[in-house]
Structure formats: structure tokens, C-alpha cells
Amino acid sequence: MRSFVPLFLVGILFPAIPAKQFTKCELSQLLKDIDGYGGITLPEFICTMFHTSGYDTQAMVENNGSTEYGLFQISNKLWCKSSQVPQSRNICDISCDKFLDDDITDDIMCAKKILDIKGIDYW
Amino acid sequence: MRFREPLLGGSAAMPGASLQRACRLLVAVCALHLGVTLVYYLAGRDLSRLPQLVGVSTSLQGGSNGAAAIGQPSGELGTGGARPPPPLGASSQPRPAGDSRPVAASGPGPASNLTSVPVPQTTSLPLPACPEESPLLVGPMLIEFNMPVDLELVAKQNPNVKMGGRYTPRDCVSPHKVAIIIPFRNRQEHLKYWLYYLHPILQRQQLDYGIYVINQAGDTMFNRAKLLNVGFREALKDYDYTCFVFSDVDLIPMNDRNAYRCFSQPRHISVAMDKFGFSLPYVQYFGGVSALSKQQFLTINGFPNNYWGWGGEDDDIFNRLVFRGMSISRPNAVVGRCRMIRHSRDKKNEPNPQRFDRIAHTKETMLSDGLNSLTYQVLDVQRYPLYTQITVDIGTPS
């Protein structure tokens, strides 16, 4: 009987996983970590991400045979692994679907790598 | 405030009694205050407009109010067009009593072949120009999307809107001949809400307007800007519109003081959308609902035809305006509040990955991409009571 309680709690928490549309303020808090990285200020990140994904963590856009995922629209051509582009270098060493959830710490980690290697011009 | 001492003098009564008296006095004063306030409030309000305060118009009684308010002011309405005897040959003013235009143009005084309907005084006199600001406006409205809309009922509620979605004010001549162009594909439910809310608003704004829904045929990528170009061309075949409002089908203004007409500079109308927290997402934003005069539109060679998919075309249009020396005119963020009908991303209107490259080259592309390169094929024109729908084949990305 007692084992059903955590199961029940898990059950009702399940629907809470997908689809997060951040507001500018929420995103500012979460991106504090990346403020100044690569010489790009937080307002510049916020503005860029608005135009890139509209703050939609589930954004997934096809672009000429490759696909871009999540808040930072990270491409499976080079940066993450997906079945569409099996020969991807997968520089961030992560499955692209991980960029579609609410937790953007992995997105930020990969965005930093992109900034290191390609710079802000990626966007 | 303590009630231990009796307030009205007399003997030192029990605290209970004086408290009671004090309370009664307080209640009496409050009631008096409320009564006086109510009297002042009612004296200053026009209660017949109560239905309009919630964004709904049963049947438009604005005509009589409007006429009464316009009156005959001396100098300020003397726009050349309205004062001299019948210049009305230029603008079409179909009379409800069935008078044909030549009657009005044939001279002052009661014309000989008037119908048997008792003639309202306005048919024999030239109409005054509509006032600068319409007296029919109510300001903020309640906008909701949780009730079903029946377009037949909406047509009944807006009896002065003519076939094809055309309306001309009856009691004054409007300087604003506005074609409202709506790019469209598979959004019938949104269109119903748009018509339900906007027809009463546009009539209160005393505009001479027509509604054009430009429906993209086929299943290829959606091209908003090209549809708007088509709307411009096609609307002009109907009437000498001088102003064009380009509106997404899912945007409803929350305040009827937000004028759906043209200004001396290109006008951005949807400046404070609920989707963007009732503020501009960025200062160069020109999407949603905007208004360009015919001249402004021609100056920028119209809109780009090469933006397939979502995004960027409004930024391109902004660029075009700037490159031609124009700037964006906007209402304030209170008047400019808009609601967007929430919906998921349409299929075949995914974000256009080329948009960033394209908007970097507007200066060159605007010369060859626009009205001067517009090709399309009209497949169907339908005149519904509340709008005209033009189904068009605009081709595919080249």
C-alpha cells in the first residue's frame, strides 16, 4: 500500500514535463550563468533568443536537411546527436531531444561550447 | 476613533447606545455619499451604449448618437469635400431608402423621384465630414474567446454592414476609405471571432471600410506578405480605397480608440499584445496589425513575395519603410492592447530559417521583389455578408 503513494505522486507529476514558454524575466534569471560569456551580455542573449526561438523550449525547426532544437536552436548537423544526421560530430555529446525539455542547463552548456568554437555568429 | 463619549451630546448614555447612534450616522453619511456619486455618474453617462462596453453590439444605434454629437460645428469640419453641394458623386453613398446616386447629385432640395419611405433629412443635404475623433467610441472592451460564434447572428447584429463586408457611415462622410486585408488559410474559427469583435468596432470608428480575406490555396508553405500584396491589388478593383490595414486573423484590439486607419506615417496597430506581456517585443516590431496608406505602400514597392514560412516578412517591411525615409507611428501601450487567440503552430508555416539572411538584404531586394514582381492567380471570389473571401494561388517558393 505504501509503495502506491510515491507511484501516485509520480503519476500526477508526469503531465508537468513538456512545453515551457519562458517569459523574458524568467529567462533572464536562468541565463545569469551565461551573462558575459564570449563577450555577449545578458540583454544581447535575451534579444537573440527571442528572435531565434521565441523563448519556446520545444522549438524544433527543419533547415535544409538538418534540424535545430530548443531554446538555442542547436543544430543536429554538428552539435548534438539525432537519427536524422547520423554522421554528426556531436560536439556537445548529447542527444538532441534533451534540448526540448524544460531543463535548460544542458542547453546552456552546449550554447557555451558553440560560443567557444563558433561564436555568436552561430545565431 | 473611539465611541466611549456620546457624540450627540446629552447624557452619558451606555457605550452601546452611543455606538449604535454613531454607526447609524456613519451609514447615513455613506449612503448619502453614494447617492450623490450615483447621481453625478448617471448624469454624465450615455446608458444606451452599455452593451458596447463589453465589446458586443446588439444593433448599432450609433447613427443617431453620432449625428446628434456632430451637429453643425462651425469651422473645424470644413474639409473641402463635404461642404459644397453634392460632391458625393465621387464617393459611393448608397442610401438605405433606395435612392440612386444621381438623385443626390442633381441639386439641393427634395428631389422629385424620392421613394415613398419617409425621407430622413440627410438625403437632401450634403453630409458633413465625420469628426476627427468618433463620438461613438467606448474605450476598453472585454475580449474573450470562450463562447461559440454564429456568423448569421453576427450579420443580424450588424445590419448596416453590406454584402462583402462593406460599410459606409450613414450620417457623415468618412475620409478614411479603408480596405482591411487578412491573410488566411484554414483558420475559420479565428475569423469568426475577428468578425464578431471587429465589425462593431470599425463601425464605431466611422470608417468607410471593406473586409478582404485572402485565402491561400494549396498546401505549400504559407506566405503572409504575398497574400497581403494580393489583397492590396484585389481590393482596389472594388473601390478607391486610400488606406490599407493588414491584420492577422487572430488579433483583436481591446480598445476601440486604437484607430484602424492610416496616418501620415505607417501605423503599427498591434503594439501591446497579450502574448508579449502587453508591450512591444522589440522596438522595430511591425508585425500583427499595421496600416499603410496607398501612397506609403507604393513607395516601398509593396511587400516582399519571397518569405515562405513564418517570420521575417514584417521585419523586411520595417526595413523597407526605413529605407524610404519613413518611421512608425503607434498608439500608446494602453490604447494599443490586443488579444491574440492562442493556438498551436500551424503546419506548413514553420519558422523560415532563411529569414535572418533575407532581412539583411532588404535594401537591394526591395527594388525587385514586391508589387512590381507580383504574380498570382485568383481562383475564387466569394461575397459573404460580413466579408469578401478571395482564394488565390500564389505559387511555391522559387
PDB file of all heavy atoms in Angstrom, chain A residues 92-107:
ATOM      1  N   CYS A  92      28.664  18.412 -28.556  1.00  0.00           N
ATOM      2  CA  CYS A  92      28.176  18.550 -27.183  1.00  0.00           C
ATOM      3  C   CYS A  92      27.887  17.212 -26.527  1.00  0.00           C
ATOM      4  O   CYS A  92      27.510  17.167 -25.349  1.00  0.00           O
ATOM      5  CB  CYS A  92      26.913  19.417 -27.145  1.00  0.00           C
ATOM      6  SG  CYS A  92      27.239  21.130 -27.551  1.00  0.00           S
ATOM      7  N   ASP A  93      28.073  16.157 -27.285  1.00  0.00           N
ATOM      8  CA  ASP A  93      27.950  14.808 -26.740  1.00  0.00           C
ATOM      9  C   ASP A  93      26.623  14.603 -26.015  1.00  0.00           C
ATOM     10  O   ASP A  93      26.584  14.263 -24.831  1.00  0.00           O
ATOM     11  CB  ASP A  93      29.122  14.539 -25.787  1.00  0.00           C
ATOM     12  CG  ASP A  93      29.187  13.061 -25.415  1.00  0.00           C
ATOM     13  OD1 ASP A  93      28.681  12.231 -26.200  1.00  0.00           O
ATOM     14  OD2 ASP A  93      29.710  12.755 -24.328  1.00  0.00           O
ATOM     15  N   ILE A  94      25.551  14.847 -26.740  1.00  0.00           N
ATOM     16  CA  ILE A  94      24.242  14.755 -26.086  1.00  0.00           C
ATOM     17  C   ILE A  94      23.194  14.475 -27.152  1.00  0.00           C
ATOM     18  O   ILE A  94      23.382  14.813 -28.329  1.00  0.00           O
ATOM     19  CB  ILE A  94      23.937  16.079 -25.341  1.00  0.00           C
ATOM     20  CG1 ILE A  94      22.691  15.943 -24.470  1.00  0.00           C
ATOM     21  CG2 ILE A  94      23.739  17.216 -26.343  1.00  0.00           C
ATOM     22  CD1 ILE A  94      22.463  17.140 -23.572  1.00  0.00           C
ATOM     23  N   SER A  95      22.122  13.827 -26.730  1.00  0.00           N
ATOM     24  CA  SER A  95      21.043  13.572 -27.679  1.00  0.00           C
ATOM     25  C   SER A  95      20.217  14.850 -27.867  1.00  0.00           C
ATOM     26  O   SER A  95      19.919  15.538 -26.894  1.00  0.00           O
ATOM     27  CB  SER A  95      20.161  12.443 -27.138  1.00  0.00           C
ATOM     28  OG  SER A  95      18.939  12.432 -27.798  1.00  0.00           O
ATOM     29  N   CYS A  96      19.875  15.173 -29.090  1.00  0.00           N
ATOM     30  CA  CYS A  96      19.202  16.446 -29.380  1.00  0.00           C
ATOM     31  C   CYS A  96      17.874  16.601 -28.649  1.00  0.00           C
ATOM     32  O   CYS A  96      17.480  17.716 -28.300  1.00  0.00           O
ATOM     33  CB  CYS A  96      18.960  16.592 -30.888  1.00  0.00           C
ATOM     34  SG  CYS A  96      20.475  16.663 -31.859  1.00  0.00           S
ATOM     35  N   ASP A  97      17.176  15.490 -28.405  1.00  0.00           N
ATOM     36  CA  ASP A  97      15.888  15.623 -27.714  1.00  0.00           C
ATOM     37  C   ASP A  97      16.033  16.239 -26.338  1.00  0.00           C
ATOM     38  O   ASP A  97      15.072  16.765 -25.790  1.00  0.00           O
ATOM     39  CB  ASP A  97      15.195  14.267 -27.494  1.00  0.00           C
ATOM     40  CG  ASP A  97      15.310  13.388 -28.698  1.00  0.00           C
ATOM     41  OD1 ASP A  97      15.825  13.858 -29.717  1.00  0.00           O
ATOM     42  OD2 ASP A  97      14.885  12.231 -28.602  1.00  0.00           O
ATOM     43  N   LYS A  98      17.235  16.127 -25.762  1.00  0.00           N
ATOM     44  CA  LYS A  98      17.405  16.677 -24.424  1.00  0.00           C
ATOM     45  C   LYS A  98      17.260  18.194 -24.431  1.00  0.00           C
ATOM     46  O   LYS A  98      17.139  18.819 -23.377  1.00  0.00           O
ATOM     47  CB  LYS A  98      18.792  16.318 -23.873  1.00  0.00           C
ATOM     48  CG  LYS A  98      19.051  14.833 -23.776  1.00  0.00           C
ATOM     49  CD  LYS A  98      18.290  14.175 -22.638  1.00  0.00           C
ATOM     50  CE  LYS A  98      19.026  14.361 -21.342  1.00  0.00           C
ATOM     51  NZ  LYS A  98      18.148  14.209 -20.172  1.00  0.00           N
ATOM     52  N   PHE A  99      17.302  18.763 -25.635  1.00  0.00           N
ATOM     53  CA  PHE A  99      17.166  20.213 -25.707  1.00  0.00           C
ATOM     54  C   PHE A  99      15.718  20.651 -25.796  1.00  0.00           C
ATOM     55  O   PHE A  99      15.439  21.840 -25.911  1.00  0.00           O
ATOM     56  CB  PHE A  99      17.922  20.746 -26.933  1.00  0.00           C
ATOM     57  CG  PHE A  99      19.413  20.596 -26.855  1.00  0.00           C
ATOM     58  CD1 PHE A  99      20.150  20.300 -27.968  1.00  0.00           C
ATOM     59  CD2 PHE A  99      20.070  20.739 -25.639  1.00  0.00           C
ATOM     60  CE1 PHE A  99      21.529  20.150 -27.897  1.00  0.00           C
ATOM     61  CE2 PHE A  99      21.440  20.592 -25.544  1.00  0.00           C
ATOM     62  CZ  PHE A  99      22.168  20.296 -26.680  1.00  0.00           C
ATOM     63  N   LEU A 100      14.799  19.687 -25.760  1.00  0.00           N
ATOM     64  CA  LEU A 100      13.389  20.040 -25.895  1.00  0.00           C
ATOM     65  C   LEU A 100      12.643  20.029 -24.576  1.00  0.00           C
ATOM     66  O   LEU A 100      11.432  20.216 -24.540  1.00  0.00           O
ATOM     67  CB  LEU A 100      12.703  19.084 -26.882  1.00  0.00           C
ATOM     68  CG  LEU A 100      13.248  19.133 -28.308  1.00  0.00           C
ATOM     69  CD1 LEU A 100      12.536  18.101 -29.181  1.00  0.00           C
ATOM     70  CD2 LEU A 100      13.055  20.520 -28.900  1.00  0.00           C
ATOM     71  N   ASP A 101      13.343  19.761 -23.472  1.00  0.00           N
ATOM     72  CA  ASP A 101      12.642  19.744 -22.181  1.00  0.00           C
ATOM     73  C   ASP A 101      12.789  21.098 -21.478  1.00  0.00           C
ATOM     74  O   ASP A 101      13.432  22.008 -21.987  1.00  0.00           O
ATOM     75  CB  ASP A 101      13.133  18.593 -21.308  1.00  0.00           C
ATOM     76  CG  ASP A 101      14.626  18.682 -21.059  1.00  0.00           C
ATOM     77  OD1 ASP A 101      15.204  19.787 -21.127  1.00  0.00           O
ATOM     78  OD2 ASP A 101      15.244  17.636 -20.802  1.00  0.00           O
ATOM     79  N   ASP A 102      12.194  21.179 -20.285  1.00  0.00           N
ATOM     80  CA  ASP A 102      12.190  22.444 -19.555  1.00  0.00           C
ATOM     81  C   ASP A 102      13.531  22.787 -18.930  1.00  0.00           C
ATOM     82  O   ASP A 102      13.789  23.936 -18.591  1.00  0.00           O
ATOM     83  CB  ASP A 102      11.195  22.376 -18.381  1.00  0.00           C
ATOM     84  CG  ASP A 102       9.774  22.462 -18.864  1.00  0.00           C
ATOM     85  OD1 ASP A 102       9.573  22.525 -20.089  1.00  0.00           O
ATOM     86  OD2 ASP A 102       8.873  22.471 -18.011  1.00  0.00           O
ATOM     87  N   ASP A 103      14.344  21.776 -18.744  1.00  0.00           N
ATOM     88  CA  ASP A 103      15.613  21.996 -18.062  1.00  0.00           C
ATOM     89  C   ASP A 103      16.625  22.513 -19.076  1.00  0.00           C
ATOM     90  O   ASP A 103      17.058  21.779 -19.974  1.00  0.00           O
ATOM     91  CB  ASP A 103      16.090  20.663 -17.464  1.00  0.00           C
ATOM     92  CG  ASP A 103      17.424  20.791 -16.774  1.00  0.00           C
ATOM     93  OD1 ASP A 103      17.846  21.940 -16.513  1.00  0.00           O
ATOM     94  OD2 ASP A 103      18.049  19.757 -16.497  1.00  0.00           O
ATOM     95  N   ILE A 104      17.001  23.761 -18.945  1.00  0.00           N
ATOM     96  CA  ILE A 104      17.888  24.324 -19.968  1.00  0.00           C
ATOM     97  C   ILE A 104      19.360  24.327 -19.561  1.00  0.00           C
ATOM     98  O   ILE A 104      20.194  24.949 -20.229  1.00  0.00           O
ATOM     99  CB  ILE A 104      17.451  25.743 -20.385  1.00  0.00           C
ATOM    100  CG1 ILE A 104      17.495  26.716 -19.208  1.00  0.00           C
ATOM    101  CG2 ILE A 104      16.071  25.716 -21.004  1.00  0.00           C
ATOM    102  CD1 ILE A 104      17.341  28.158 -19.664  1.00  0.00           C
ATOM    103  N   THR A 105      19.691  23.644 -18.476  1.00  0.00           N
ATOM    104  CA  THR A 105      21.113  23.626 -18.098  1.00  0.00           C
ATOM    105  C   THR A 105      21.944  22.945 -19.172  1.00  0.00           C
ATOM    106  O   THR A 105      23.062  23.388 -19.496  1.00  0.00           O
ATOM    107  CB  THR A 105      21.334  22.917 -16.753  1.00  0.00           C
ATOM    108  OG1 THR A 105      20.568  21.721 -16.729  1.00  0.00           O
ATOM    109  CG2 THR A 105      20.928  23.806 -15.601  1.00  0.00           C
ATOM    110  N   ASP A 106      21.412  21.856 -19.767  1.00  0.00           N
ATOM    111  CA  ASP A 106      22.178  21.205 -20.835  1.00  0.00           C
ATOM    112  C   ASP A 106      22.217  22.083 -22.093  1.00  0.00           C
ATOM    113  O   ASP A 106      23.243  22.133 -22.790  1.00  0.00           O
ATOM    114  CB  ASP A 106      21.639  19.801 -21.147  1.00  0.00           C
ATOM    115  CG  ASP A 106      20.111  19.740 -21.161  1.00  0.00           C
ATOM    116  OD1 ASP A 106      19.470  20.825 -21.136  1.00  0.00           O
ATOM    117  OD2 ASP A 106      19.578  18.623 -21.195  1.00  0.00           O
ATOM    118  N   ASP A 107      21.129  22.814 -22.359  1.00  0.00           N
ATOM    119  CA  ASP A 107      21.143  23.737 -23.496  1.00  0.00           C
ATOM    120  C   ASP A 107      22.216  24.797 -23.298  1.00  0.00           C
ATOM    121  O   ASP A 107      22.961  25.141 -24.223  1.00  0.00           O
ATOM    122  CB  ASP A 107      19.791  24.451 -23.659  1.00  0.00           C
ATOM    123  CG  ASP A 107      18.604  23.505 -23.711  1.00  0.00           C
ATOM    124  OD1 ASP A 107      18.410  22.731 -22.748  1.00  0.00           O
ATOM    125  OD2 ASP A 107      17.891  23.548 -24.712  1.00  0.00           O
TER     126      ASP A 107
END
